[in-house]
Amino acid sequence: MAAAQGPVAPSSPEQDGALRVLCVYVSAWRTSWRMTSQPTHTAVEGTPHSLHRAGPGEAWAQGRAIPNLEITHEAHEGESENGAVPSEATKKDQNLKRGNWGNQIEFVLTSVGYAVGLGNVWRFPYLCYRNGGGAFMFPYFVMLIFCGIPLFFMELSFGQFASQGCLGVWRISPMFKGVGYGMMVVSTYIGIYYNVVICIAFYYFFSSMTPVLPWTYCNNPWNTPDCMSVLDNPNITNGSQPPALPGNVSQALNQTLKRTSPSEEYWRLYVLKLSDDIGNFGEVRLPLLGCLGVSWVVVFLCLIRGVKSSGKVVYFTATFPYVVLTILFIRGVTLEGAFTGIMYYLTPQWDKILEAKVWGDAASQIFYSLGCAWGGLVTMASYNKFHNNCYRDSVIISITNCATSVYAGFVIFSILGFMANHLGVDVSRVADHGPGLAFVAYPEALTLLPISPLWSLLFFFMLILLGLGTQFCLLETLVTAIVDEVGNEWILQKKTYVTLGVAVAGFLLGIPLTSQAGIYWLLLMDNYAASFSLVIISCIMCVSIMYIYGHQNYFQDIQMMLGFPPPLFFQICWRFVSPAIIFFILIFSVIQYQPITYNQYQYPSWAVAIGFLMALSSVICIPLYALFQFCRTDGDTLLQRLKNATKPSRDWGPALLEHRTGRYAPTIAPSPEDGLEVQPLHPDKAQIPMVGSNGSSRLQDSRI
């Protein structure tokens, strides 16, 4: 109970004892009619509570005191198998201030949608066939076990324990808050160009709503004399060519597809109207600009109420791509030549396992595919309930992501095998990755199918949904970081306007990418803004948690949250194996670095320099903020200031007071500046102060 206002007259011990007894009966009367039978909740061992009534302006004393009846300490021994305290399952929202996921399925589906993106479809299958086919699966899954899942679990547990976004979690060690700012910078870059890719998918989706796909034939105004479509000459199949063919066509076929396809010309000359240089922006492509606006409107509407609205949307956006993949897979494997394409994808070349490049590609693909160090995993987990079993979730989501990549490979290579068989060439001649696969090679293969507009609509709709699932989390990462950092009631109530502001800014910054030079800038951002900088951010995060904050402290935090410590395997990976693999990825990226190109276009040196500046802009946040924090921290010596700057802040720990047990139990009444949310005690967990014979008081669970 809060102290009364105004002066308090002195009272005798007998009067004080009578007052306590009266409080007991009043509290019991108010709660008895609402009580239901509940399992006994006992205080966590090591957190005794002995209270006496303090005078005006004084804190509760004698032991770890608890102000008011607003804190409940629950025993972790009563947890269910999935790590959730049984009584929490009935709560609508634990965190009334920030909100929580409606249920755990929403979190899992959102995380799956975040991890499973365009790279699973247009990058992994190409990497697999290029690096030894089925043999690539071995290093891929080794890296998943020793690097992917451990890092995924670390980020989920990090965000869930503190219930904060990528900035707020660094109360664990304020000097490293620059890591959170680096994550925000990376998410900003990715969010800008990722939505441009989605807008191009929207454009192709709308363009597919015709009886004949516009990239089927070479009789369009934008086509050049070099354009050649197989459907223009239906007798040209399986490598056969009639005698009446013009010499240039025969020569093109004999040189195995050294031609310009109608899909390539549609992409380069009509959709992009590609300029000849990255510095020649030309005009803004108004159709793409309109589709970009549509993309951002869709993203904003899905996030208008934060995780409450996006959590409902993911039931469709995270599941329907699997329906489309299955439809395309069934159609693909029934085509002639599909088996050849699949075998090209899977046939192992075991000698390549000994190449360092194969292991480097496997580690890089796992790292980037799961979305580690983007800040999205920390943000999404921050909306979990405190005792959610994020260990189970991390395993499920990581395996689902990798299984989707393998499954998508069957879908892609079955169609490419059919196309290669139709043209009478090797599969390697039609295989591609990135935008070249999504907007040139695969659309051309779809023109060979009956009812090609239907398959095109399904394919691009799948790309849109895969992109939106990732874009939701990128935008929510930025919005959550801003709202958590400001943290006052006004911005919490105006979160929708923050979301709108970030969406409008993203749209404006994406306009240059819809110009005639836009694809050059998009690929520049993709190659540099989210490359080695992510590796550095992730490595520093591992080191700061395991070695600055201390691995034992973090393991105890997880045990308090889940009811069990992290398995020994994860403890070893977090401390030694995963940082070593991350360092290997960094060294591999430096050794294998090659200047960026797009087809035959070589980027000028000034453009490459801009790319490196984008990469450094996220990494430089770490030392700059560390220096800033060091300068503003008190201490008599440099070493003392360094220690004070790296030790956890006083408000580090669970966000809700009812979860702050053990070493996080408050010793004084919390103030609003602490950033902790005090919530009303639930009737079934009410604790009544009982007066002992010696005049001392203690807490007892009310079970009437």
Side-chain angles (χ1 to χ4, degrees):
M1 288 180 292
Q5 300 295 323
V8 179
S11 60
S12 65
E14 291 78 5
Q15 290 173 329
D16 208 19
L19 179 61
R20 291 196 185 98
V21 173
L22 178 61
C23 291
V24 170
Y25 283 109
V26 171
S27 299
W29 176 79
R30 291 179 59 188
T31 58
S32 60
W33 67 277
R34 293 183 295 180
M35 289 291 99
T36 56
S37 120
Q38 292 289 337
T40 302
H41 298 284
T42 59
V44 176
E45 183 179 358
T47 60
H49 304 290
S50 58
L51 307 178
H52 73 263
R53 184 62 181 268
E58 294 178 3
W60 293 84
Q62 292 185 3
R64 291 189 173 93
I66 304 178
N68 220 329
L69 292 180
E70 297 173 325
I71 309 171
T72 303
H73 294 288
E74 300 155 341
H76 296 300
E77 290 82 356
E79 293 173 351
S80 61
E81 269 186 17
N82 66 356
V85 174
S87 58
E88 288 182 348
T90 61
K91 292 185 183 180
K92 187 66 177 176
D93 274 335
Q94 280 188 325
N95 197 321
L96 301 179
K97 187 176 179 181
R98 298 177 82 248
N100 296 105
W101 296 105
N103 56 62
Q104 210 47 38
I105 296 177
E106 293 181 7
F107 166 69
V108 172
L109 290 178
T110 301
S111 299
V112 168
Y114 174 65
V116 177
L118 298 173
N120 297 72
V121 174
W122 74 18
R123 178 171 168 80
F124 173 81
Y126 178 82
L127 281 180
C128 189
Y129 112 83
R130 192 185 71 179
N131 288 301
F136 181 72
M137 302 291 183
F138 177 73
Y140 182 72
F141 283 104
V142 168
M143 292 299 174
L144 170 67
I145 294 171
F146 288 96
C147 184
I149 297 178
L151 289 178
F152 205 92
F153 180 29
M154 172 181 282
E155 292 202 28
L156 291 190
S157 60
F158 194 22
Q160 180 174 308
F161 182 79
S163 296
Q164 290 287 310
C166 61
L167 291 182
V169 291
W170 289 103
R171 295 169 181 170
I172 192 173
S173 185
M175 192 171 183
F176 290 94
K177 192 175 182 178
V179 174
Y181 284 108
M183 290 178 173
M184 285 188 66
V185 172
V186 169
S187 292
T188 301
Y189 285 136
I190 298 175
I192 291 171
Y193 77 77
Y194 211 83
N195 227 14
V196 175
V197 177
I198 298 173
C199 94
I200 297 175
F202 264 115
Y203 184 83
Y204 270 80
F205 177 77
F206 294 140
S207 300
S208 301
M209 297 178 180
T210 57
V212 178
L213 294 175
W215 55 85
T216 302
Y217 298 105
C218 292
N219 57 354
N220 301 291
W222 58 83
N223 290 127
T224 66
D226 296 329
C227 177
M228 188 196 70
S229 170
V230 174
L231 294 180
D232 285 333
N233 299 279
N235 292 326
I236 306 177
T237 58
N238 297 320
S240 63
Q241 43 188 38
L245 278 176
N248 60 337
V249 176
S250 300
Q251 183 180 7
L253 286 176
N254 289 335
Q255 291 176 356
T256 61
L257 278 186
K258 289 183 179 178
R259 63 186 179 95
T260 304
S261 66
S263 62
E264 181 180 350
E265 292 199 349
Y266 180 77
W267 162 252
R268 183 167 49 88
L269 301 178
Y270 183 73
V271 177
L272 301 178
K273 287 192 176 179
L274 190 65
S275 66
D276 57 353
D277 186 71
I278 188 173
N280 182 13
F281 284 90
E283 64 180 13
V284 172
R285 298 286 295 121
L286 293 181
L288 293 182
L289 182 63
C291 290
L292 181 62
V294 171
S295 301
W296 277 110
V297 168
V298 170
V299 172
F300 169 70
L301 292 178
C302 292
L303 288 174
I304 194 168
R305 293 181 57 238
V307 296
K308 292 298 182 184
S309 54
S310 65
K312 303 300 182 289
V313 174
V314 294
Y315 280 104
F316 178 74
T317 60
T319 57
F320 194 73
Y322 291 96
V323 176
V324 178
L325 278 174
T326 302
I327 294 173
L328 293 175
F329 172 72
I330 294 173
R331 184 67 186 99
V333 296
T334 60
L335 298 172
E336 185 179 359
F339 181 75
T340 303
I342 292 174
M343 291 307 296
Y344 203 91
Y345 166 56
L346 289 181
T347 301
Q349 303 174 38
W350 296 109
D351 56 308
K352 290 204 170 188
I353 284 189
L354 301 178
E355 298 179 11
K357 186 177 186 304
V358 174
W359 288 86
D361 281 345
S364 300
Q365 176 62 17
I366 283 291
F367 184 83
Y368 296 124
S369 176
L370 290 174
C372 297
W374 291 16
L377 298 178
V378 174
T379 302
M380 295 302 105
S382 72
Y383 292 101
N384 278 335
K385 294 180 180 178
F386 184 73
H387 293 293
N388 169 64
N389 192 340
C390 56
Y391 166 65
R392 170 203 59 201
D393 295 342
S394 63
V395 175
I396 293 174
I397 297 166
S398 301
I399 293 178
T400 300
N401 171 72
C402 295
T404 303
S405 298
V406 176
Y407 187 38
F410 286 92
V411 176
I412 297 299
F413 273 88
S414 61
I415 297 292
L416 294 182
F418 162 69
M419 181 180 178
N421 177 76
H422 192 84
L423 297 174
V425 299
D426 193 75
V427 178
S428 61
R429 294 293 181 177
V430 296
D432 203 348
H433 69 288
L437 172 66
F439 302 118
V440 178
Y442 206 84
E444 182 178 13
L446 294 176
T447 62
L448 304 176
L449 299 177
I451 326 177
S452 55
L454 172 63
W455 307 113
S456 182
L457 283 170
L458 287 174
F459 176 71
F460 288 110
F461 189 55
M462 178 190 69
L463 290 186
I464 291 170
L465 295 182
L466 289 174
L468 287 176
T470 302
Q471 189 68 19
F472 291 159
C473 297
L474 291 171
L475 184 60
E476 185 62 39
T477 297
L478 299 175
V479 173
T480 298
I482 294 171
V483 172
D484 285 350
E485 186 67 7
V486 177
N488 56 40
E489 291 296 328
W490 180 86
I491 199 168
L492 287 170
Q493 295 172 359
K494 304 296 183 183
K495 185 178 178 180
T496 300
Y497 295 102
V498 178
T499 306
L500 177 62
V502 174
V504 171
F507 170 74
L508 295 176
L509 292 171
I511 291 177
L513 302 185
T514 62
S515 67
Q516 291 179 256
I519 191 65
Y520 297 125
W521 290 98
L522 188 150
L523 294 175
L524 185 72
M525 295 177 72
D526 184 45
N527 278 269
Y528 289 95
S531 56
F532 70 87
S533 57
L534 285 175
V535 182
I536 296 174
I537 289 172
S538 184
C539 187
I540 294 177
M541 183 179 69
C542 278
V543 171
S544 60
I545 294 176
M546 289 294 106
Y547 295 99
I548 306 299
Y549 177 63
H551 63 277
Q552 290 294 348
N553 290 332
Y554 195 67
F555 298 160
Q556 290 172 14
D557 290 344
I558 291 181
Q559 182 166 8
M560 185 178 78
M561 179 173 65
L562 301 183
F564 56 88
L568 180 61
F569 172 77
F570 285 90
Q571 297 182 22
I572 295 174
C573 285
W574 286 346
R575 296 182 62 192
F576 308 110
V577 181
S578 296
I581 293 177
I582 295 172
F583 185 72
F584 163 72
I585 297 174
L586 179 62
I587 299 301
F588 170 78
S589 300
V590 173
I591 294 175
Q592 294 292 325
Y593 170 76
Q594 293 180 347
I596 181 175
T597 60
Y598 177 58
N599 294 335
Q600 285 76 41
Y601 176 74
Q602 187 77 35
Y603 279 67
S605 56
W606 63 266
V608 175
I610 291 177
F612 276 110
L613 288 177
M614 284 192 290
L616 290 174
S617 64
S618 57
V619 177
I620 200 67
C621 295
I622 302 173
L624 287 181
Y625 191 87
L627 182 61
F628 167 74
Q629 184 67 23
F630 178 80
C631 293
R632 66 196 292 257
T633 303
D634 296 329
D636 296 331
T637 64
L638 292 178
L639 182 60
Q640 186 62 42
R641 294 174 70 177
L642 182 63
K643 289 181 178 179
N644 292 338
T646 55
K647 72 180 182 181
S649 63
R650 62 191 297 265
D651 52 353
W652 161 249
L656 301 185
L657 282 171
E658 63 184 87
H659 298 138
R660 295 179 77 87
T661 60
R663 58 198 173 100
Y664 294 105
T667 57
I668 60 173
S671 62
E673 290 76 15
D674 291 339
L676 305 176
E677 183 179 355
V678 181
Q679 297 192 169
L681 180 67
H682 286 255
D684 57 339
K685 298 177 186 174
Q687 292 179 322
I688 301 175
M690 303 300 293
V691 182
S693 58
N694 59 355
S696 63
S697 46
R698 59 189 175 87
L699 290 179
Q700 175 175 301
D701 287 333
S702 173
R703 295 184 294 113
I704 300 175

